């Protein structure tokens, strides 16, 4: 069975026809809505002359959020490894007694 779906997404008053996996549809529709909401917020809060400027700011906002999450996850991973090493050392010292 073909699990591809043809959908149309509207972003910045333009329609984009896409063929996607069924499992991707909800995420794409949600992302499209978030982009349009962010566009509206930028247009209301800043003097924007061109949709291209707004779309660039949206792309920057989403990319920076993703990068920050990756940085945060990297830091959390290092802290977790340090804790595991300390626990492991405690266990080794306890077992050596």
């Amino acid at each position: 069975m073909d699990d591809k779906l043809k959908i149309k997404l509207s972003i910045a008053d333009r329609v984009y026809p896409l063929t996607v996996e069924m499992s991707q549809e909800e995420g794409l529709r949600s992302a499209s809505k978030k982009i349009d909401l962010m566009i509206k917020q930028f247009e209301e809060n800043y003097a924007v002359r061109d949709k291209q400027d707004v779309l660039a700011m949206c792309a920057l906002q989403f990319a920076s959020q993703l990068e920050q999450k990756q940085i945060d996850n990297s830091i959390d991973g290092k802290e977790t490894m340090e804790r595991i090493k300390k626990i492991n050392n405690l266990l080794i010292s306890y077992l050596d007694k």
Side-chain angles (χ1 to χ4, degrees):
M1 185 172 138
D2 190 14
D3 57 348
K4 298 280 185 174
L5 198 62
K6 292 186 179 199
I7 62 172
K8 292 181 181 179
L9 296 179
S10 176
I11 301 172
D13 301 324
R14 288 182 124 177
V15 176
Y16 296 91
L18 300 171
T19 302
V20 300
E21 301 286 333
M22 289 180 74
S23 61
Q24 295 176 312
E25 180 189 13
E26 184 178 354
L28 287 167
R29 290 194 187 279
S30 176
S32 172
K33 288 177 185 176
K34 286 180 182 179
I35 292 168
D36 276 336
L37 179 62
M38 191 176 288
I39 288 170
K40 185 177 178 182
Q41 289 173 342
F42 278 124
E43 288 176 336
E44 288 174 356
N45 295 320
Y46 302 100
V48 180
R49 296 183 214 158
D50 187 7
K51 285 279 189 201
Q52 184 69 33
D53 293 335
V54 177
L55 290 169
M57 292 305 296
C58 287
L60 179 61
Q61 183 80 11
F62 282 117
S64 67
Q65 289 171 358
L66 178 62
E67 288 298 317
Q68 190 60 51
K69 283 182 183 177
Q70 289 176 344
I71 289 168
D72 293 345
N73 287 341
S74 173
I75 291 169
D76 289 344
K78 288 178 185 174
E79 291 176 9
T80 302
M81 287 305 297
E82 288 301 316
R83 289 179 183 162
I84 290 172
K85 286 178 185 178
K86 286 180 182 179
I87 292 170
N88 192 40
N89 289 338
L90 285 171
L91 288 171
I92 289 171
S93 67
Y94 177 77
L95 292 173
D96 285 341
K97 288 183 180 181

